[in-house]
Amino acid sequence: EDKLLEHDEL
Amino acid sequence: NIFRILGDLSHLASIVILLRTVQKTRQVDGISLKTQLLYVLVFCTRYLDLLTFRWKSVYNTLMKMVFIGASVRVIQLIQECKTRNAVAYKDMMARDTFQIKYLVGPCAILALVFNYKFTVLELCWSFSLWLESVAILPQLFMLSRSGKAGTLTTHYIFALGLYRALYIPNWIWRYYTEGRLEKLSVFTGLLQTALYSDFFYIYYKKVIKGAGFELP
Protein backbone atom coordinates (compact mmCIF):
# COMPACT_ATOMS: atom_id res chain seq x y z
CA GLU A 1 0.00 0.00 0.00
CA ASP A 2 2.76 2.47 0.96
CA LYS A 3 4.56 1.65 -2.26
CA LEU A 4 1.48 2.62 -4.25
CA LEU A 5 1.42 6.03 -2.58
CA GLU A 6 4.86 6.83 -3.95
CA HIS A 7 3.53 7.81 -7.40
CA ASP A 8 6.88 7.62 -9.13
CA GLU A 9 5.36 7.85 -12.61
CA LEU A 10 4.74 11.08 -14.44
CA ASN B 1 12.46 0.47 -18.13
CA ILE B 2 12.61 1.28 -21.82
CA PHE B 3 8.83 1.67 -22.26
CA ARG B 4 8.61 4.14 -19.42
CA ILE B 5 11.55 6.23 -20.73
CA LEU B 6 10.23 6.23 -24.30
CA GLY B 7 6.75 7.06 -23.01
CA ASP B 8 8.00 10.03 -21.01
CA LEU B 9 10.10 11.20 -23.94
CA SER B 10 7.16 11.16 -26.33
CA HIS B 11 5.13 13.01 -23.72
CA LEU B 12 7.87 15.60 -23.61
CA ALA B 13 8.07 15.60 -27.41
CA SER B 14 4.35 16.35 -27.69
CA ILE B 15 4.71 19.49 -25.57
CA VAL B 16 7.92 20.56 -27.34
CA ILE B 17 6.22 20.12 -30.75
CA LEU B 18 3.35 22.30 -29.58
CA LEU B 19 5.57 24.95 -27.96
CA ARG B 20 8.06 25.20 -30.83
CA THR B 21 5.41 25.39 -33.55
CA VAL B 22 3.32 28.01 -31.78
CA GLN B 23 6.46 30.00 -30.97
CA LYS B 24 7.79 29.86 -34.53
CA THR B 25 4.64 30.28 -36.57
CA ARG B 26 2.53 32.25 -34.08
CA GLN B 27 -0.31 30.00 -35.16
CA VAL B 28 -2.81 28.38 -32.82
CA ASP B 29 -4.93 27.04 -35.63
CA GLY B 30 -6.78 23.89 -34.56
CA ILE B 31 -5.44 23.89 -31.00
CA SER B 32 -7.97 23.81 -28.17
CA LEU B 33 -7.25 26.34 -25.42
CA LYS B 34 -9.58 24.40 -23.13
CA THR B 35 -7.57 21.19 -23.48
CA GLN B 36 -4.38 23.13 -22.76
CA LEU B 37 -5.93 24.74 -19.67
CA LEU B 38 -7.01 21.30 -18.47
CA TYR B 39 -3.40 20.08 -18.82
CA VAL B 40 -2.15 22.93 -16.62
CA LEU B 41 -4.71 21.83 -14.03
CA VAL B 42 -3.64 18.17 -14.47
CA PHE B 43 0.05 18.90 -13.92
CA CYS B 44 -0.47 21.33 -11.05
CA THR B 45 -2.71 18.91 -9.13
CA ARG B 46 -0.60 15.84 -9.87
CA TYR B 47 2.78 17.30 -8.99
CA LEU B 48 1.71 18.93 -5.71
CA ASP B 49 4.21 16.58 -4.04
CA LEU B 50 6.95 18.90 -5.32
CA LEU B 51 5.91 21.19 -2.48
CA THR B 52 6.56 18.51 0.14
CA PHE B 53 10.22 18.39 -0.96
CA ARG B 54 10.23 14.59 -0.70
CA TRP B 55 11.71 14.38 -4.18
CA LYS B 56 12.23 10.96 -5.72
CA SER B 57 15.00 11.61 -8.22
CA VAL B 58 16.54 14.38 -10.28
CA TYR B 59 14.82 12.95 -13.38
CA ASN B 60 11.42 12.81 -11.71
CA THR B 61 11.65 16.32 -10.22
CA LEU B 62 13.04 17.91 -13.36
CA MET B 63 10.41 16.36 -15.61
CA LYS B 64 7.62 17.50 -13.31
CA MET B 65 8.93 21.07 -13.34
CA VAL B 66 9.33 21.00 -17.13
CA PHE B 67 5.77 19.72 -17.63
CA ILE B 68 4.25 22.39 -15.39
CA GLY B 69 6.41 25.13 -16.91
CA ALA B 70 5.79 24.10 -20.51
CA SER B 71 2.03 23.79 -20.07
CA VAL B 72 1.86 27.29 -18.56
CA ARG B 73 4.06 28.63 -21.39
CA VAL B 74 1.66 27.17 -23.97
CA ILE B 75 -1.19 29.16 -22.40
CA GLN B 76 0.96 32.31 -22.43
CA LEU B 77 1.75 31.85 -26.11
CA ILE B 78 -1.90 31.33 -26.97
CA GLN B 79 -2.77 34.50 -25.07
CA GLU B 80 -0.07 36.40 -26.97
CA CYS B 81 -1.79 35.34 -30.15
CA LYS B 82 -4.87 37.16 -28.86
CA THR B 83 -3.21 40.57 -29.35
CA ARG B 84 -1.07 39.57 -32.32
CA ASN B 85 -3.70 37.85 -34.40
CA ALA B 86 -7.11 38.68 -33.00
CA VAL B 87 -9.02 37.14 -35.92
CA ALA B 88 -7.34 33.73 -35.60
CA TYR B 89 -7.79 33.81 -31.83
CA LYS B 90 -11.49 34.63 -32.10
CA ASP B 91 -11.91 31.88 -34.68
CA MET B 92 -10.24 29.39 -32.34
CA MET B 93 -12.41 30.46 -29.39
CA ALA B 94 -15.57 30.19 -31.49
CA ARG B 95 -14.75 26.58 -32.32
CA ASP B 96 -13.51 25.63 -28.84
CA THR B 97 -17.01 25.09 -27.49
CA PHE B 98 -16.73 22.00 -25.31
CA GLN B 99 -18.14 22.61 -21.82
CA ILE B 100 -15.28 21.64 -19.51
CA LYS B 101 -17.46 21.72 -16.40
CA TYR B 102 -18.81 18.37 -17.59
CA LEU B 103 -15.28 17.00 -17.30
CA VAL B 104 -13.99 18.75 -14.17
CA GLY B 105 -17.09 18.03 -12.07
CA PRO B 106 -17.31 14.27 -12.66
CA CYS B 107 -13.52 13.95 -12.26
CA ALA B 108 -13.73 15.62 -8.85
CA ILE B 109 -16.44 13.18 -7.81
CA LEU B 110 -14.48 10.19 -9.16
CA ALA B 111 -11.44 11.37 -7.18
CA LEU B 112 -13.52 11.45 -3.99
CA VAL B 113 -14.71 7.89 -4.64
CA PHE B 114 -11.50 6.33 -6.00
CA ASN B 115 -8.34 7.20 -4.10
CA TYR B 116 -5.68 5.50 -2.00
CA LYS B 117 -6.01 7.82 0.98
CA PHE B 118 -8.41 10.63 1.90
CA THR B 119 -5.80 13.40 2.03
CA VAL B 120 -5.55 16.59 -0.03
CA LEU B 121 -2.46 15.32 -1.85
CA GLU B 122 -3.97 11.95 -2.71
CA LEU B 123 -7.34 13.39 -3.75
CA CYS B 124 -5.63 15.90 -6.04
CA TRP B 125 -3.47 13.13 -7.46
CA SER B 126 -6.49 10.95 -8.23
CA PHE B 127 -8.35 13.97 -9.68
CA SER B 128 -5.40 14.65 -11.99
CA LEU B 129 -5.43 11.06 -13.28
CA TRP B 130 -9.15 11.17 -14.11
CA LEU B 131 -8.84 14.62 -15.63
CA GLU B 132 -5.85 13.67 -17.78
CA SER B 133 -7.76 10.73 -19.17
CA VAL B 134 -10.43 13.04 -20.61
CA ALA B 135 -8.51 16.31 -21.07
CA ILE B 136 -8.07 15.74 -24.81
CA LEU B 137 -11.85 15.67 -25.38
CA PRO B 138 -12.25 19.41 -26.12
CA GLN B 139 -9.45 19.03 -28.67
CA LEU B 140 -11.03 15.97 -30.30
CA PHE B 141 -14.43 17.65 -30.22
CA MET B 142 -12.95 20.64 -32.04
CA LEU B 143 -11.41 18.35 -34.66
CA SER B 144 -14.64 16.47 -35.21
CA ARG B 145 -16.53 19.69 -35.76
CA SER B 146 -14.02 21.30 -38.12
CA GLY B 147 -13.53 18.01 -39.96
CA LYS B 148 -9.87 18.71 -40.64
CA ALA B 149 -6.65 18.53 -38.65
CA GLY B 150 -3.54 20.61 -39.24
CA THR B 151 -0.06 19.10 -39.15
CA LEU B 152 0.56 20.61 -35.74
CA THR B 153 -2.55 19.09 -34.19
CA THR B 154 -1.88 15.73 -35.79
CA HIS B 155 1.76 15.52 -34.63
CA TYR B 156 0.82 16.76 -31.19
CA ILE B 157 -1.96 14.23 -30.65
CA PHE B 158 0.14 11.48 -32.22
CA ALA B 159 3.01 12.03 -29.74
CA LEU B 160 0.55 12.22 -26.84
CA GLY B 161 -1.12 8.99 -27.90
CA LEU B 162 2.25 7.26 -28.26
CA TYR B 163 3.11 8.27 -24.69
CA ARG B 164 -0.12 6.72 -23.46
CA ALA B 165 0.34 3.54 -25.48
CA LEU B 166 3.91 3.07 -24.20
CA TYR B 167 2.79 3.31 -20.58
CA ILE B 168 0.81 0.08 -21.01
CA PRO B 169 3.82 -2.23 -21.65
CA ASN B 170 5.54 -0.25 -18.87
CA TRP B 171 2.83 -1.36 -16.40
CA ILE B 172 3.01 -4.95 -17.61
CA TRP B 173 6.79 -4.83 -17.23
CA ARG B 174 6.54 -3.43 -13.71
CA TYR B 175 3.93 -6.01 -12.75
CA TYR B 176 6.26 -8.86 -13.65
CA THR B 177 9.55 -7.35 -12.42
CA GLU B 178 8.35 -5.46 -9.32
CA GLY B 179 4.98 -7.06 -8.64
CA ARG B 180 3.57 -3.57 -8.84
CA LEU B 181 0.00 -3.03 -10.03
CA GLU B 182 -1.26 0.49 -9.50
CA LYS B 183 -4.93 0.12 -10.39
CA LEU B 184 -5.94 3.80 -10.57
CA SER B 185 -3.18 4.74 -13.01
CA VAL B 186 -3.79 1.63 -15.10
CA PHE B 187 -7.55 2.12 -15.33
CA THR B 188 -7.45 5.85 -16.14
CA GLY B 189 -4.53 5.21 -18.49
CA LEU B 190 -6.48 2.59 -20.42
CA LEU B 191 -9.47 4.94 -20.59
CA GLN B 192 -7.26 7.66 -22.01
CA THR B 193 -5.66 5.28 -24.51
CA ALA B 194 -9.14 4.24 -25.67
CA LEU B 195 -10.00 7.88 -26.44
CA TYR B 196 -6.80 8.26 -28.42
CA SER B 197 -7.39 5.03 -30.34
CA ASP B 198 -10.41 6.66 -31.90
CA PHE B 199 -8.18 9.42 -33.18
CA PHE B 200 -5.56 6.92 -34.37
CA TYR B 201 -8.13 4.84 -36.18
CA ILE B 202 -9.40 7.84 -38.09
CA TYR B 203 -5.89 9.10 -38.73
CA TYR B 204 -4.88 5.68 -40.07
CA LYS B 205 -7.88 5.60 -42.36
CA LYS B 206 -7.14 9.11 -43.57
CA VAL B 207 -3.47 8.41 -44.28
CA ILE B 208 -4.01 5.01 -45.87
CA LYS B 209 -7.14 5.73 -47.84
CA GLY B 210 -6.63 9.45 -48.31
CA ALA B 211 -10.17 10.09 -47.16
CA GLY B 212 -11.27 13.30 -45.46
CA PHE B 213 -10.56 13.73 -41.78
CA GLU B 214 -13.57 13.01 -39.62
CA LEU B 215 -14.19 11.82 -36.09
CA PRO B 216 -17.37 10.01 -35.08
Side-chain angles (χ1 to χ4, degrees):
Chain A
E1 180 76 9
D2 279 346
K3 241 189 152 186
L4 289 179
L5 290 176
E6 270 179 23
H7 308 320
D8 58 356
E9 287 175 351
L10 297 162
Chain B
N1 65 64
I2 188 76
F3 304 111
R4 166 74 197 280
I5 295 282
L6 288 176
D8 286 347
L9 286 181
S10 50
H11 195 185
L12 194 62
S14 72
I15 300 187
V16 171
I17 289 168
L18 186 63
L19 262 178
R20 294 278 300 164
T21 319
V22 176
Q23 230 159 11
K24 239 172 43 190
T25 62
R26 297 281 163 194
Q27 276 286 351
V28 287
D29 190 35
I31 286 297
S32 161
L33 175 62
K34 285 179 177 170
T35 283
Q36 296 309 319
L37 282 170
L38 289 180
Y39 278 128
V40 173
L41 193 57
V42 164
F43 291 136
C44 288
T45 47
R46 181 163 317 161
Y47 302 152
L48 271 180
D49 64 330
L50 283 175
L51 300 175
T52 65
F53 292 98
R54 283 154 73 185
W55 297 350
K56 279 142 204 108
S57 65
V58 177
Y59 171 80
N60 194 279
T61 308
L62 218 66
M63 288 292 260
K64 286 176 176 175
M65 289 173 169
V66 168
F67 282 135
I68 295 176
S71 63
V72 172
R73 184 75 188 118
V74 168
I75 302 296
Q76 271 185 337
L77 285 171
I78 294 176
Q79 290 309 309
E80 276 174 28
C81 179
K82 191 180 187 174
T83 45
R84 212 176 290 262
N85 193 345
V87 179
Y89 183 85
K90 261 190 178 168
D91 183 55
M92 183 262 288
M93 292 302 278
R95 287 192 285 139
D96 198 11
T97 49
F98 197 94
Q99 297 277 312
I100 50 176
K101 62 184 174 202
Y102 296 126
L103 300 179
V104 177
C107 286
I109 293 167
L110 285 165
L112 290 173
V113 178
F114 302 99
N115 55 71
Y116 293 127
K117 218 176 184 181
F118 213 81
T119 61
V120 175
L121 227 63
E122 284 302 311
L123 290 178
C124 283
W125 180 80
S126 173
F127 170 74
S128 81
L129 286 188
W130 290 106
L131 191 62
E132 187 192 357
S133 69
V134 294
I136 199 70
L137 280 175
Q139 178 69 70
L140 293 182
F141 186 68
M142 209 170 163
L143 281 182
S144 72
R145 293 197 74 188
S146 74
K148 60 181 195 300
T151 330
L152 165 62
T153 336
T154 314
H155 288 174
Y156 171 66
I157 300 179
F158 204 86
L160 264 181
L162 190 63
Y163 140 66
R164 263 303 137 192
L166 284 163
Y167 256 64
I168 295 172
N170 158 59
W171 292 321
I172 297 171
W173 181 279
R174 295 192 74 173
Y175 177 71
Y176 283 109
T177 57
E178 299 168 39
R180 181 191 166 100
L181 181 68
E182 214 256 76
K183 287 177 192 145
L184 253 176
S185 290
V186 172
F187 183 79
T188 55
L190 289 175
L191 176 66
Q192 191 178 352
T193 315
L195 292 180
Y196 281 91
S197 330
D198 182 50
F199 172 83
F200 281 123
Y201 175 67
I202 303 302
Y203 182 80
Y204 174 79
K205 259 178 56 179
K206 181 202 171 197
V207 171
I208 300 300
K209 297 182 179 169
F213 194 93
E214 233 174 88
L215 284 162

